């Protein structure tokens, strides 16, 4: 995204998200942080690392302070994922090998560093976490910060988002030696997505916060922020950047003219269709003049070329006979409308601004249109596309209104000769080159498909068509489960345990020893797990609710998965193992 486009969108942006907060909220949060920061400088005791006093029963302890809490939106969302990543944690439930043992946030989660007693945890905290926190709040320059990021204690800390937020809080203090240096974004994927939007390369040799600062410098420059900018300006910039990134869906994929053919694929329930539609809505909310119309259809075995491109169809009875007429299919009709809009847009540009054809980089600022095909692999694609197949690759860039040359981006369709003999045929014509009726696909139509790649009909997606698409996988997003349940007033510890059960079930299906080992394409999507919201009862995760989710929403799909690797008589045994993995034994 170029600076002019960024600034235009930023100036017109009005936040409607829960991330917004006031300057008064800013001051209150920083005052609370200041008190906590002073405690860190004086060797923060373990019982103040957590919000609540240490639990005498040695169960999971309470939350982090409000300004670091996962539910807190002020100065960014430092999601911890679950207690095991950052809290003093006592293993319970499904993990029998570690049941009753403890861990804390030091030592990478995958290393499974465990302790037998709380005293062992306290010693580990004092030797590693306490010292690391003190280093962070005593950093006297941004170079100190980058040096700390390379320390072994920092590398081994499981939830780096918390450490990154501490550095951001330090950067917001009036006396900070690196004032407003860092963006309020702590997730690696979110930072990478923003870098793509701003067309910046992430430097793998630099630390996360160094890349964060470099990208933030550009974002502040593009938005026109300076050292004298108000707190409200920084809050707005944060809201705007998150609106670009998207909470759970990458809007970057939906705004790139260089990759306008995309297939989002993954297991059922991973939010493919929902993510596409919400992503487009988000872009239209940011700038409705830039991101415009969307057409959504669904392929099925009976869908044909006549439905998609064009065909001769009966339109009532005339003079006692069927009235047969040439009718545009859904895609051709959409392409004609976009072409006409492009011609209007082209004529509105000054001569100096008119782009040169065939180069998408010269078309920045042109409006975006979306044609979305849900369940794209359920149709007979060769039949549906016909001779228009190649146009997905060779897009049309010429909207000057004068068409004298038939380029590879234009083809004659099956009914072009018939259409040429029809009077008043403007609605049926994409372009006319000489006497020839041609069809093409405007470059600024994003052709988006969604598909479940475990469907048997995937085989119909032949290799020649596959190479014309960018393929984007969608997996179970546990952060969506976390955020939705928290928003529905489920307790944090309850949610954390539930997500752990969901992860265990998917591990059993996809990869774990003793499990089905079907691969990640067969995991259960987060939409299945979110059904727990609709089960009556108080807003808590109970065994009865989990049982109902499994019985009513998961078991049927799981049985179909199991039939691919086991005999019918073994299905019940595998289902019982899956129940146990989900914490229902």
């Amino acid at each position: 995204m170029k600076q002019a486009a960024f600034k235009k969108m930023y100036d017109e942006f009005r936040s409607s998200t829960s991330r917004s907060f006031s300057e008064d909220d800013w001051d209150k949060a920083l005052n609370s942080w200041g008190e906590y920061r002073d405690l860190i400088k004086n060797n923060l005791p373990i019982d103040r690392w957590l919000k609540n006093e240490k639990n005498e029963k040695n169960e999971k302890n309470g939350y982090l302070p409000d300004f670091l809490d996962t539910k807190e939106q002020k100065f960014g969302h430092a999601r911890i994922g679950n207690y095991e990543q950052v809290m003093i944690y006592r293993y319970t439930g499904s993990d029998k090998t570690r049941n009753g043992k403890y861990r804390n946030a030091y030592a990478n989660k995958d290393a499974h560093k465990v302790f037998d007693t709380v005293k062992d945890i306290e010693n580990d905290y004092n030797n590693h976490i306490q010292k690391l926190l003190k280093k962070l709040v005593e950093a006297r320059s941004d170079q100190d910060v980058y040096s700390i990021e390379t320390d072994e204690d920092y590398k081994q800390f499981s939830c780096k988002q918390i450490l990154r937020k501490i550095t951001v809080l330090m950067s917001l203090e009036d006396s900070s030696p690196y004032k407003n240096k860092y963006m309020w974004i702590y997730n690696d994927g979110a930072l990478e997505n923003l870098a793509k939007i701003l067309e910046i390369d992430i430097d793998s040799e630099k630390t996360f916060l160094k890349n964060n600062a470099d990208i933030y410098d550009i974002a502040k420059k593009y938005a026109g922020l300076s050292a004298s900018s108000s707190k409200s300006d920084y809050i707005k910039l944060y809201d705007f950047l998150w609106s670009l990134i998207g909470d759970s869906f990458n809007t970057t994929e939906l705004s790139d003219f260089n990759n306008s053919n995309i297939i989002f694929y993954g297991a059922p329930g991973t939010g493919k269709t929902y993510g596409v539609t919400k992503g487009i809505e988000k872009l239209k909310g940011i700038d409705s003049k830039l991101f415009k119309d969307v057409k959504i259809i669904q392929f099925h075995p009976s869908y044909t070329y006549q439905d998609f491109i064009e065909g001769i169809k009966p339109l009532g009875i005339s003079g006692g006979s069927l009235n047969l007429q040439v009718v545009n299919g859904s895609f051709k009709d959409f392409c004609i409308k976009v072409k006409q809009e492009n011609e209007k847009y082209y004529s509105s540009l000054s001569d100096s601004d008119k782009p040169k054809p065939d180069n998408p980089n010269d078309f920045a600022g042109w409006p975006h249109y979306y044609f979305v095909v849900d369940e794209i692999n359920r149709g007979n694609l060769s039949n549906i596309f016909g001779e228009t197949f190649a146009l997905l690759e060779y897009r049309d860039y010429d909207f000057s209104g004068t068409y004298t040359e038939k380029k590879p981006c234009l083809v004659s369709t099956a009914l072009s000769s018939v259409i040429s003999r029809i009077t008043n045929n403007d609605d049926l014509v994409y372009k006319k080159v000489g006497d020839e009726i041609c069809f093409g696909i405007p470059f600024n139509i994003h052709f988006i498909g969604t598909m479940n790649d475990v469907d048997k009909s995937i085989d119909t997606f032949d290799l020649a068509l596959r190479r014309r698409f960018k393929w984007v996988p969608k997996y179970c997003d546990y952060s969506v489960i976390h955020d939705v349940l928290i928003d529905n007033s489920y307790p944090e510890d309850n949610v954390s345990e539930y997500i752990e059960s969901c992860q265990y079930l998917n591990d059993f299906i996809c990869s774990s020893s003793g499990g089905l080992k079907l691969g990640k394409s067969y995991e259960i999507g987060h939409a299945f797990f979110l059904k727990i919201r609709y089960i009556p009862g108080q807003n808590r995760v109970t065994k009865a609710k989990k049982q109902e989710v499994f019985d009513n929403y998961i078991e049927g799909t799981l049985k179909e998965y199991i039939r691919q690797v086991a005999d019918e008589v073994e299905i019940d045994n595998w289902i019982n193992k899956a129940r146990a993995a989900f914490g229902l034994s």
Side-chain angles (χ1 to χ4, degrees), residues 261 388-395 397 441 464 467-468:
N261 303 324
T388 67
F389 173 85
L391 300 182
L392 287 169
E393 184 173 8
Y394 300 106
R395 293 298 195 95
Y397 293 91
I441 303 176
R467 73 173 180 80
R468 289 174 165 86

Side-chain angles (χ1 to χ4, degrees), residues 372-422:
V372 180
V373 181
D374 194 24
E375 306 286 2
I376 191 170
N377 57 317
R378 291 191 178 277
N380 183 334
L381 299 177
S382 296
N383 173 280
I384 290 171
F385 279 93
E387 71 284 329
T388 67
F389 173 85
L391 300 182
L392 287 169
E393 184 173 8
Y394 300 106
R395 293 298 195 95
D396 185 9
Y397 293 91
D398 183 6
F399 305 103
S400 62
T402 304
Y403 310 116
T404 58
E405 181 182 356
K406 186 179 178 182
K407 298 181 180 180
C409 62
L410 299 174
V411 299
S412 296
T413 61
L415 295 178
S416 286
S417 60
V418 176
I419 294 171
S420 67
R421 294 193 292 271
I422 297 174

Side-chain angles (χ1 to χ4, degrees), residues 126-141:
N126 293 332
N127 291 332
H128 298 289
I129 296 176
Q130 185 189 76
K131 293 178 180 179
L132 174 59
L133 299 177
K134 191 171 182 179
K135 280 184 182 180
L136 287 174
V137 301
E138 291 182 344
R140 299 313 305 156
S141 71

